[in-house]
Amino acid sequence: MLQADDILIFSKNAAHKIALIKQIISKFCSWFGLKINCKKSVVICGKVATLKEKKRIAKMLGFRLVNELNYFGVNIVLRRSVALDF
């Protein structure tokens, strides 16, 4: 999903596809003259991935691992949403 200069990438169990995802991001950046801001970039993984896998994915991409994020006022969370989220 693209919004302005933000990109959200969704993938099933990406642990074994990190090299491909990095390659896609790199090509996208070179095509559009963009650079990744690793300080603002984050990884959020579902409950199926182990903590070890989550850390590995974040480390390989060079991004922070988070459990939730707020994107344009919408909370993206890995837990059941509560009234406060809305």
Side-chain angles (χ1 to χ4, degrees), residues 13-55:
N13 194 2
H16 64 285
K17 298 182 182 179
I18 296 302
L20 179 59
I21 291 172
K22 284 180 73 169
Q23 183 181 13
I24 291 168
I25 292 170
S26 178
K27 283 184 181 183
F28 179 87
C29 288
S30 68
W31 293 336
F32 295 99
L34 300 173
K35 292 184 180 180
I36 297 171
N37 184 338
C38 292
K39 291 181 180 180
K40 290 184 177 180
S41 301
V42 298
V43 172
I44 185 168
C45 299
K47 296 176 184 178
V48 175
T50 66
L51 182 58
K52 184 177 178 180
E53 289 174 319
K54 293 175 186 180
K55 287 182 178 181

